[in-house]
Amino acid sequence: MAVENTTEKKPAKVVLREVVDMVYRQAWEAKERGEPIGWSSSKFPAEIAETLGLKVVYPENQAAGIAAKKGGQRMCEHAEAMGFANDICGYARISLAYAAGFEADERAMPQPDFVLCCNNICNCMTKWYENIARMHNIPLIMIDVPYNNDVEVGDDYVAYIKGQFMDAITQLEKISGNKWDEKRFEEVCANANRTAQGWLKACNFLQYTPAPYSGFDLFNNMADVVTARVKPETAAAFEQLIGEYEEMVKEGKTTWKYEENHRIMFEGIPCWPGLQALFKPLKEKGINTTAVVYAPAFGFVYNNLDELCKAYCKAPNSVCLETGVEWREGICRENNVDGILVHYNRSCKPWSGYMPEMERRFRKDLGVPVVGFDGDQADPRNFSDAQYQTRVEGLYELMEQNNPSKGGKA
Amino acid sequence: MSKINELLAEFQDIARNPKAQLEKYVGEGTKVIGCFPYYTPDELVHAAGMVPFGVWGAEGTINSAKEYFAPFYCTIAQMNLEMGLNGTLDKLSGVIAPSMCDTLRPLTQNFRVAVPQLPFMFLAHPQNRRIPVGVDFTVAQYEKIKNKLEEISGSKITDDKLQASIKVFNQSRAVRRRFIELAGQHPEAVSAVQRSAVLKSAFFMKKEEHTAMLEQLNELLHVLPESGWKGAKIVTSGIIADSAALLSILDENGLAIATDDIAHESRAIRIDVPEHADPMRALALQFAEQDHDPLLYDPEINKRHNFVVDLVKNSGAHGVVILQMQFCDPEELEFPSLKKALDEAGIPFIVLGIDQQMQDFGQARTSIQAFADVLSMKV
């Protein structure tokens, strides 16, 4: 089922939301028809299942949705009662609770008949998905992307990932009952590339001053690149969004309704349960978020299977420190940020494990103030509003001191 | 002092003082390479004429490493970095650092930039390690390590040298496995503290030296009369179990270690390197066969927890002491399945949270005492 043909009347942000809803709706419909449903990690090559006509939903997106609607703590506590320690990733805890049968009306999705695991994001994913497969006694298709210490992706990585890609096709052919169709695969890849290019272009509008929108909007649009990057509807929706941004830039308009006194990079996954709390002191002080690392992190652009394999090696937690710094400093420079706010995300050990060194590099290379706060992507118990406000206040003061129009050192 | 006790005391001296071992080898003109957890191809270090030296943290306090890690990280990783920063590892000629968990990923990066004076050998293991492309990937990674080791040692690692090293290490593993079995049969002769020292010292000794000493000990244990041990026996499970303070509480409460499921002990020596004309491929095939470990992907999904249940049954243990390394995701994510399997098999267990900064063992003592009481009814 396609998105309703009323896209021209609706703003792109509504269309983008509907695309995500469509993914979940189609999964429910397929489940009712008796088709096998997959649960997939966000950076598993979505091209395979799409080519084979399999419907797939995304536990990370579901967990973020549940957390944003205040269900995170409840689901985490269910998982803890099952024996999962409270320092395991909040997304994993929410997902494992849901897989075990605890309901979450905040973002319900059909239970899986197979799981697609790619650990390019983190190794937690491996055991998380093994647990789901174990609970449901279903097949797990694993594409292992080892961590890469080099800036370039070597031929050894490409050969290993390509081999697993081919194995995954064979396994999913059996599950779907469909034969691999190279022509369909090319179409799907073309859609995925079109979405990635749209996503990157939309992200690039944050370079304008004033930025035509808040970087927090990107967090919402991320749902589309996670759940639907292989769908033509997604590409079209991003292209519509780009059109809207072009108009706004031409007219000097912005959806950011506040002053743009300062522009920052928000580092890390947002605290979904506390989005309002995150946003509040920023808007009060006129601090717009004009850089988030998700921009380069989800822009998978490739021309062939080797390049696809390389693209999937480039997740935020699978690249070396130097690449991670380069991504971030690139968008900070392009998008003219004058400060950086770092989320020490209790749920994400790999991500937070690079941040102290990255902080030092940001300060040295960019000459901007960097301030960190403690939080969690899904478990509200790990976020302190008071600490956050104090840290934002501190960042603001440092940015003000650097502001030449206020006598700062520029 | 009996010969058994003399040997055990010697192992304990070595296990307690890795610094002296390091200085001894370096003083003899032998280069030493630090091997971080998990599954480093130590045979390559040996074949290059150097000594592989296990670096699995240390009991101590984290100071400088706080500049790189927030507090919610495994202390083994933090202490490895701490030792790099405070000069403890300065006499090493390089380190091999695997990246197979979410803490080791950033540790590799932090260590590489924070301790630039030490030649750094990054190691990526494949989780899909058994399929042909996985084996090829392991070979490719080991080749990178081999090249760097040759550079550091100035010595070419020939196939013949590597085949010889594989024999030395297979023998070391076999002797250690035999010791674990004998120590389980003779808790009256080998305490939990001593058992740990024997196994830990292997990380700080030339394997030939360790094997020679351990063969002597094994022979002496082998000829002991049947133990007649009346107390309970346990299986330990976790990443590391080398805290003498903690292990002595097991000893005080009459809990003998029948065998273990510890990454630093049995998990590291379960699998030998198979015979193969190409020794690099042989090393990769060894890694392909590694299994039953929360750090590793289990393609068969259900094997590991059942393996631990079987360990308990086959070793004649009465319960399991799970030593849960704080903030270790892989172990934590496997715990509910292990718990379920143990419950279903009617095997009692306790979970003790541990880390390498731990100084107060009061809570652990209370848990172990209560657990010993429970197990005493099963003996």
mmCIF file with all atom_site columns, all heavy atoms in Angstrom, chain B residues 274-292:
data_model
loop_
_atom_site.group_PDB
_atom_site.id
_atom_site.type_symbol
_atom_site.label_atom_id
_atom_site.label_alt_id
_atom_site.label_comp_id
_atom_site.label_asym_id
_atom_site.label_entity_id
_atom_site.label_seq_id
_atom_site.pdbx_PDB_ins_code
_atom_site.Cartn_x
_atom_site.Cartn_y
_atom_site.Cartn_z
_atom_site.occupancy
_atom_site.B_iso_or_equiv
_atom_site.pdbx_formal_charge
_atom_site.auth_seq_id
_atom_site.auth_comp_id
_atom_site.auth_asym_id
_atom_site.auth_atom_id
_atom_site.pdbx_PDB_model_num
ATOM 1   N N   . PRO B 1 274 ? 44.412 -26.722 15.276 1.00 0.00 ? 274 PRO B N   1
ATOM 2   C CA  . PRO B 1 274 ? 44.435 -28.004 14.552 1.00 0.00 ? 274 PRO B CA  1
ATOM 3   C C   . PRO B 1 274 ? 45.693 -28.134 13.698 1.00 0.00 ? 274 PRO B C   1
ATOM 4   O O   . PRO B 1 274 ? 46.339 -27.135 13.375 1.00 0.00 ? 274 PRO B O   1
ATOM 5   C CB  . PRO B 1 274 ? 43.189 -27.923 13.665 1.00 0.00 ? 274 PRO B CB  1
ATOM 6   C CG  . PRO B 1 274 ? 42.952 -26.470 13.467 1.00 0.00 ? 274 PRO B CG  1
ATOM 7   C CD  . PRO B 1 274 ? 43.437 -25.780 14.707 1.00 0.00 ? 274 PRO B CD  1
ATOM 8   N N   . GLU B 1 275 ? 46.009 -29.356 13.359 1.00 0.00 ? 275 GLU B N   1
ATOM 9   C CA  . GLU B 1 275 ? 47.144 -29.577 12.447 1.00 0.00 ? 275 GLU B CA  1
ATOM 10  C C   . GLU B 1 275 ? 46.731 -29.152 11.054 1.00 0.00 ? 275 GLU B C   1
ATOM 11  O O   . GLU B 1 275 ? 45.653 -29.496 10.580 1.00 0.00 ? 275 GLU B O   1
ATOM 12  C CB  . GLU B 1 275 ? 47.529 -31.053 12.459 1.00 0.00 ? 275 GLU B CB  1
ATOM 13  C CG  . GLU B 1 275 ? 48.338 -31.413 13.678 1.00 0.00 ? 275 GLU B CG  1
ATOM 14  C CD  . GLU B 1 275 ? 48.940 -32.810 13.590 1.00 0.00 ? 275 GLU B CD  1
ATOM 15  O OE1 . GLU B 1 275 ? 49.094 -33.312 12.463 1.00 0.00 ? 275 GLU B OE1 1
ATOM 16  O OE2 . GLU B 1 275 ? 49.227 -33.373 14.655 1.00 0.00 ? 275 GLU B OE2 1
ATOM 17  N N   . HIS B 1 276 ? 47.580 -28.397 10.411 1.00 0.00 ? 276 HIS B N   1
ATOM 18  C CA  . HIS B 1 276 ? 47.269 -27.905 9.065  1.00 0.00 ? 276 HIS B CA  1
ATOM 19  C C   . HIS B 1 276 ? 48.586 -27.507 8.412  1.00 0.00 ? 276 HIS B C   1
ATOM 20  O O   . HIS B 1 276 ? 49.468 -26.957 9.075  1.00 0.00 ? 276 HIS B O   1
ATOM 21  C CB  . HIS B 1 276 ? 46.335 -26.692 9.162  1.00 0.00 ? 276 HIS B CB  1
ATOM 22  C CG  . HIS B 1 276 ? 45.655 -26.336 7.886  1.00 0.00 ? 276 HIS B CG  1
ATOM 23  N ND1 . HIS B 1 276 ? 46.310 -25.736 6.844  1.00 0.00 ? 276 HIS B ND1 1
ATOM 24  C CD2 . HIS B 1 276 ? 44.372 -26.505 7.476  1.00 0.00 ? 276 HIS B CD2 1
ATOM 25  C CE1 . HIS B 1 276 ? 45.455 -25.539 5.845  1.00 0.00 ? 276 HIS B CE1 1
ATOM 26  N NE2 . HIS B 1 276 ? 44.265 -26.004 6.195  1.00 0.00 ? 276 HIS B NE2 1
ATOM 27  N N   . ALA B 1 277 ? 48.696 -27.758 7.135  1.00 0.00 ? 277 ALA B N   1
ATOM 28  C CA  . ALA B 1 277 ? 49.949 -27.445 6.440  1.00 0.00 ? 277 ALA B CA  1
ATOM 29  C C   . ALA B 1 277 ? 50.250 -25.947 6.487  1.00 0.00 ? 277 ALA B C   1
ATOM 30  O O   . ALA B 1 277 ? 51.406 -25.536 6.514  1.00 0.00 ? 277 ALA B O   1
ATOM 31  C CB  . ALA B 1 277 ? 49.862 -27.924 4.998  1.00 0.00 ? 277 ALA B CB  1
ATOM 32  N N   . ASP B 1 278 ? 49.196 -25.160 6.484  1.00 0.00 ? 278 ASP B N   1
ATOM 33  C CA  . ASP B 1 278 ? 49.368 -23.707 6.542  1.00 0.00 ? 278 ASP B CA  1
ATOM 34  C C   . ASP B 1 278 ? 49.104 -23.253 7.986  1.00 0.00 ? 278 ASP B C   1
ATOM 35  O O   . ASP B 1 278 ? 47.955 -23.228 8.436  1.00 0.00 ? 278 ASP B O   1
ATOM 36  C CB  . ASP B 1 278 ? 48.376 -23.053 5.572  1.00 0.00 ? 278 ASP B CB  1
ATOM 37  C CG  . ASP B 1 278 ? 48.413 -21.535 5.660  1.00 0.00 ? 278 ASP B CG  1
ATOM 38  O OD1 . ASP B 1 278 ? 49.131 -20.996 6.525  1.00 0.00 ? 278 ASP B OD1 1
ATOM 39  O OD2 . ASP B 1 278 ? 47.711 -20.886 4.863  1.00 0.00 ? 278 ASP B OD2 1
ATOM 40  N N   . PRO B 1 279 ? 50.138 -22.885 8.723  1.00 0.00 ? 279 PRO B N   1
ATOM 41  C CA  . PRO B 1 279 ? 49.932 -22.585 10.148 1.00 0.00 ? 279 PRO B CA  1
ATOM 42  C C   . PRO B 1 279 ? 49.082 -21.333 10.404 1.00 0.00 ? 279 PRO B C   1
ATOM 43  O O   . PRO B 1 279 ? 48.422 -21.248 11.446 1.00 0.00 ? 279 PRO B O   1
ATOM 44  C CB  . PRO B 1 279 ? 51.361 -22.399 10.678 1.00 0.00 ? 279 PRO B CB  1
ATOM 45  C CG  . PRO B 1 279 ? 52.205 -22.091 9.487  1.00 0.00 ? 279 PRO B CG  1
ATOM 46  C CD  . PRO B 1 279 ? 51.554 -22.775 8.324  1.00 0.00 ? 279 PRO B CD  1
ATOM 47  N N   . MET B 1 280 ? 49.095 -20.374 9.472  1.00 0.00 ? 280 MET B N   1
ATOM 48  C CA  . MET B 1 280 ? 48.244 -19.189 9.657  1.00 0.00 ? 280 MET B CA  1
ATOM 49  C C   . MET B 1 280 ? 46.766 -19.592 9.590  1.00 0.00 ? 280 MET B C   1
ATOM 50  O O   . MET B 1 280 ? 45.938 -19.138 10.370 1.00 0.00 ? 280 MET B O   1
ATOM 51  C CB  . MET B 1 280 ? 48.544 -18.125 8.590  1.00 0.00 ? 280 MET B CB  1
ATOM 52  C CG  . MET B 1 280 ? 49.898 -17.474 8.720  1.00 0.00 ? 280 MET B CG  1
ATOM 53  S SD  . MET B 1 280 ? 50.134 -16.624 10.318 1.00 0.00 ? 280 MET B SD  1
ATOM 54  C CE  . MET B 1 280 ? 49.185 -15.135 10.058 1.00 0.00 ? 280 MET B CE  1
ATOM 55  N N   . ARG B 1 281 ? 46.469 -20.455 8.632  1.00 0.00 ? 281 ARG B N   1
ATOM 56  C CA  . ARG B 1 281 ? 45.094 -20.956 8.504  1.00 0.00 ? 281 ARG B CA  1
ATOM 57  C C   . ARG B 1 281 ? 44.738 -21.803 9.739  1.00 0.00 ? 281 ARG B C   1
ATOM 58  O O   . ARG B 1 281 ? 43.610 -21.748 10.236 1.00 0.00 ? 281 ARG B O   1
ATOM 59  C CB  . ARG B 1 281 ? 44.942 -21.760 7.211  1.00 0.00 ? 281 ARG B CB  1
ATOM 60  C CG  . ARG B 1 281 ? 43.513 -22.140 6.862  1.00 0.00 ? 281 ARG B CG  1
ATOM 61  C CD  . ARG B 1 281 ? 43.287 -22.212 5.371  1.00 0.00 ? 281 ARG B CD  1
ATOM 62  N NE  . ARG B 1 281 ? 43.347 -20.903 4.745  1.00 0.00 ? 281 ARG B NE  1
ATOM 63  C CZ  . ARG B 1 281 ? 42.291 -20.096 4.570  1.00 0.00 ? 281 ARG B CZ  1
ATOM 64  N NH1 . ARG B 1 281 ? 41.097 -20.490 4.927  1.00 0.00 ? 281 ARG B NH1 1
ATOM 65  N NH2 . ARG B 1 281 ? 42.430 -18.909 4.019  1.00 0.00 ? 281 ARG B NH2 1
ATOM 66  N N   . ALA B 1 282 ? 45.720 -22.541 10.231 1.00 0.00 ? 282 ALA B N   1
ATOM 67  C CA  . ALA B 1 282 ? 45.465 -23.357 11.425 1.00 0.00 ? 282 ALA B CA  1
ATOM 68  C C   . ALA B 1 282 ? 45.040 -22.468 12.598 1.00 0.00 ? 282 ALA B C   1
ATOM 69  O O   . ALA B 1 282 ? 44.092 -22.787 13.323 1.00 0.00 ? 282 ALA B O   1
ATOM 70  C CB  . ALA B 1 282 ? 46.727 -24.143 11.788 1.00 0.00 ? 282 ALA B CB  1
ATOM 71  N N   . LEU B 1 283 ? 45.713 -21.324 12.760 1.00 0.00 ? 283 LEU B N   1
ATOM 72  C CA  . LEU B 1 283 ? 45.343 -20.406 13.849 1.00 0.00 ? 283 LEU B CA  1
ATOM 73  C C   . LEU B 1 283 ? 43.928 -19.870 13.644 1.00 0.00 ? 283 LEU B C   1
ATOM 74  O O   . LEU B 1 283 ? 43.150 -19.739 14.597 1.00 0.00 ? 283 LEU B O   1
ATOM 75  C CB  . LEU B 1 283 ? 46.327 -19.232 13.912 1.00 0.00 ? 283 LEU B CB  1
ATOM 76  C CG  . LEU B 1 283 ? 47.740 -19.511 14.440 1.00 0.00 ? 283 LEU B CG  1
ATOM 77  C CD1 . LEU B 1 283 ? 48.594 -18.246 14.341 1.00 0.00 ? 283 LEU B CD1 1
ATOM 78  C CD2 . LEU B 1 283 ? 47.699 -20.004 15.886 1.00 0.00 ? 283 LEU B CD2 1
ATOM 79  N N   . ALA B 1 284 ? 43.608 -19.556 12.386 1.00 0.00 ? 284 ALA B N   1
ATOM 80  C CA  . ALA B 1 284 ? 42.260 -19.040 12.093 1.00 0.00 ? 284 ALA B CA  1
ATOM 81  C C   . ALA B 1 284 ? 41.209 -20.120 12.342 1.00 0.00 ? 284 ALA B C   1
ATOM 82  O O   . ALA B 1 284 ? 40.104 -19.832 12.832 1.00 0.00 ? 284 ALA B O   1
ATOM 83  C CB  . ALA B 1 284 ? 42.193 -18.553 10.644 1.00 0.00 ? 284 ALA B CB  1
ATOM 84  N N   . LEU B 1 285 ? 41.555 -21.364 12.023 1.00 0.00 ? 285 LEU B N   1
ATOM 85  C CA  . LEU B 1 285 ? 40.601 -22.461 12.254 1.00 0.00 ? 285 LEU B CA  1
ATOM 86  C C   . LEU B 1 285 ? 40.407 -22.693 13.751 1.00 0.00 ? 285 LEU B C   1
ATOM 87  O O   . LEU B 1 285 ? 39.325 -23.083 14.191 1.00 0.00 ? 285 LEU B O   1
ATOM 88  C CB  . LEU B 1 285 ? 41.092 -23.737 11.559 1.00 0.00 ? 285 LEU B CB  1
ATOM 89  C CG  . LEU B 1 285 ? 41.023 -23.681 10.026 1.00 0.00 ? 285 LEU B CG  1
ATOM 90  C CD1 . LEU B 1 285 ? 41.755 -24.863 9.406  1.00 0.00 ? 285 LEU B CD1 1
ATOM 91  C CD2 . LEU B 1 285 ? 39.565 -23.620 9.539  1.00 0.00 ? 285 LEU B CD2 1
ATOM 92  N N   . GLN B 1 286 ? 41.443 -22.445 14.521 1.00 0.00 ? 286 GLN B N   1
ATOM 93  C CA  . GLN B 1 286 ? 41.281 -22.536 15.980 1.00 0.00 ? 286 GLN B CA  1
ATOM 94  C C   . GLN B 1 286 ? 40.251 -21.501 16.439 1.00 0.00 ? 286 GLN B C   1
ATOM 95  O O   . GLN B 1 286 ? 39.335 -21.805 17.190 1.00 0.00 ? 286 GLN B O   1
ATOM 96  C CB  . GLN B 1 286 ? 42.613 -22.277 16.697 1.00 0.00 ? 286 GLN B CB  1
ATOM 97  C CG  . GLN B 1 286 ? 42.473 -22.342 18.217 1.00 0.00 ? 286 GLN B CG  1
ATOM 98  C CD  . GLN B 1 286 ? 43.510 -21.483 18.934 1.00 0.00 ? 286 GLN B CD  1
ATOM 99  O OE1 . GLN B 1 286 ? 44.022 -20.504 18.387 1.00 0.00 ? 286 GLN B OE1 1
ATOM 100 N NE2 . GLN B 1 286 ? 43.810 -21.844 20.161 1.00 0.00 ? 286 GLN B NE2 1
ATOM 101 N N   . PHE B 1 287 ? 40.399 -20.262 15.968 1.00 0.00 ? 287 PHE B N   1
ATOM 102 C CA  . PHE B 1 287 ? 39.430 -19.238 16.383 1.00 0.00 ? 287 PHE B CA  1
ATOM 103 C C   . PHE B 1 287 ? 38.019 -19.610 15.907 1.00 0.00 ? 287 PHE B C   1
ATOM 104 O O   . PHE B 1 287 ? 37.037 -19.408 16.622 1.00 0.00 ? 287 PHE B O   1
ATOM 105 C CB  . PHE B 1 287 ? 39.827 -17.844 15.879 1.00 0.00 ? 287 PHE B CB  1
ATOM 106 C CG  . PHE B 1 287 ? 38.835 -16.807 16.317 1.00 0.00 ? 287 PHE B CG  1
ATOM 107 C CD1 . PHE B 1 287 ? 38.667 -16.525 17.672 1.00 0.00 ? 287 PHE B CD1 1
ATOM 108 C CD2 . PHE B 1 287 ? 38.018 -16.167 15.400 1.00 0.00 ? 287 PHE B CD2 1
ATOM 109 C CE1 . PHE B 1 287 ? 37.711 -15.619 18.096 1.00 0.00 ? 287 PHE B CE1 1
ATOM 110 C CE2 . PHE B 1 287 ? 37.052 -15.254 15.823 1.00 0.00 ? 287 PHE B CE2 1
ATOM 111 C CZ  . PHE B 1 287 ? 36.908 -14.977 17.165 1.00 0.00 ? 287 PHE B CZ  1
ATOM 112 N N   . ALA B 1 288 ? 37.940 -20.193 14.713 1.00 0.00 ? 288 ALA B N   1
ATOM 113 C CA  . ALA B 1 288 ? 36.636 -20.598 14.187 1.00 0.00 ? 288 ALA B CA  1
ATOM 114 C C   . ALA B 1 288 ? 35.934 -21.577 15.127 1.00 0.00 ? 288 ALA B C   1
ATOM 115 O O   . ALA B 1 288 ? 34.708 -21.583 15.251 1.00 0.00 ? 288 ALA B O   1
ATOM 116 C CB  . ALA B 1 288 ? 36.814 -21.237 12.809 1.00 0.00 ? 288 ALA B CB  1
ATOM 117 N N   . GLU B 1 289 ? 36.719 -22.391 15.802 1.00 0.00 ? 289 GLU B N   1
ATOM 118 C CA  . GLU B 1 289 ? 36.139 -23.415 16.688 1.00 0.00 ? 289 GLU B CA  1
ATOM 119 C C   . GLU B 1 289 ? 35.824 -22.898 18.090 1.00 0.00 ? 289 GLU B C   1
ATOM 120 O O   . GLU B 1 289 ? 35.223 -23.612 18.895 1.00 0.00 ? 289 GLU B O   1
ATOM 121 C CB  . GLU B 1 289 ? 37.104 -24.606 16.788 1.00 0.00 ? 289 GLU B CB  1
ATOM 122 C CG  . GLU B 1 289 ? 37.161 -25.452 15.529 1.00 0.00 ? 289 GLU B CG  1
ATOM 123 C CD  . GLU B 1 289 ? 35.777 -25.922 15.093 1.00 0.00 ? 289 GLU B CD  1
ATOM 124 O OE1 . GLU B 1 289 ? 35.021 -26.452 15.933 1.00 0.00 ? 289 GLU B OE1 1
ATOM 125 O OE2 . GLU B 1 289 ? 35.433 -25.727 13.910 1.00 0.00 ? 289 GLU B OE2 1
ATOM 126 N N   . GLN B 1 290 ? 36.273 -21.693 18.417 1.00 0.00 ? 290 GLN B N   1
ATOM 127 C CA  . GLN B 1 290 ? 35.972 -21.162 19.759 1.00 0.00 ? 290 GLN B CA  1
ATOM 128 C C   . GLN B 1 290 ? 34.457 -21.054 19.913 1.00 0.00 ? 290 GLN B C   1
ATOM 129 O O   . GLN B 1 290 ? 33.751 -20.715 18.970 1.00 0.00 ? 290 GLN B O   1
ATOM 130 C CB  . GLN B 1 290 ? 36.622 -19.777 19.961 1.00 0.00 ? 290 GLN B CB  1
ATOM 131 C CG  . GLN B 1 290 ? 38.130 -19.756 19.817 1.00 0.00 ? 290 GLN B CG  1
ATOM 132 C CD  . GLN B 1 290 ? 38.870 -20.445 20.963 1.00 0.00 ? 290 GLN B CD  1
ATOM 133 O OE1 . GLN B 1 290 ? 38.251 -20.977 21.888 1.00 0.00 ? 290 GLN B OE1 1
ATOM 134 N NE2 . GLN B 1 290 ? 40.195 -20.459 20.892 1.00 0.00 ? 290 GLN B NE2 1
ATOM 135 N N   . ASP B 1 291 ? 33.992 -21.293 21.117 1.00 0.00 ? 291 ASP B N   1
ATOM 136 C CA  . ASP B 1 291 ? 32.537 -21.390 21.269 1.00 0.00 ? 291 ASP B CA  1
ATOM 137 C C   . ASP B 1 291 ? 32.142 -21.230 22.739 1.00 0.00 ? 291 ASP B C   1
ATOM 138 O O   . ASP B 1 291 ? 33.013 -21.099 23.599 1.00 0.00 ? 291 ASP B O   1
ATOM 139 C CB  . ASP B 1 291 ? 32.104 -22.776 20.764 1.00 0.00 ? 291 ASP B CB  1
ATOM 140 C CG  . ASP B 1 291 ? 30.692 -22.742 20.205 1.00 0.00 ? 291 ASP B CG  1
ATOM 141 O OD1 . ASP B 1 291 ? 30.004 -21.725 20.374 1.00 0.00 ? 291 ASP B OD1 1
ATOM 142 O OD2 . ASP B 1 291 ? 30.290 -23.753 19.608 1.00 0.00 ? 291 ASP B OD2 1
ATOM 143 N N   . HIS B 1 292 ? 30.853 -21.259 22.991 1.00 0.00 ? 292 HIS B N   1
ATOM 144 C CA  . HIS B 1 292 ? 30.320 -21.278 24.354 1.00 0.00 ? 292 HIS B CA  1
ATOM 145 C C   . HIS B 1 292 ? 30.818 -20.080 25.163 1.00 0.00 ? 292 HIS B C   1
ATOM 146 O O   . HIS B 1 292 ? 31.195 -20.230 26.320 1.00 0.00 ? 292 HIS B O   1
ATOM 147 C CB  . HIS B 1 292 ? 30.725 -22.570 25.081 1.00 0.00 ? 292 HIS B CB  1
ATOM 148 C CG  . HIS B 1 292 ? 30.474 -23.810 24.290 1.00 0.00 ? 292 HIS B CG  1
ATOM 149 N ND1 . HIS B 1 292 ? 29.232 -24.153 23.828 1.00 0.00 ? 292 HIS B ND1 1
ATOM 150 C CD2 . HIS B 1 292 ? 31.314 -24.784 23.870 1.00 0.00 ? 292 HIS B CD2 1
ATOM 151 C CE1 . HIS B 1 292 ? 29.309 -25.289 23.166 1.00 0.00 ? 292 HIS B CE1 1
ATOM 152 N NE2 . HIS B 1 292 ? 30.554 -25.692 23.166 1.00 0.00 ? 292 HIS B NE2 1
#
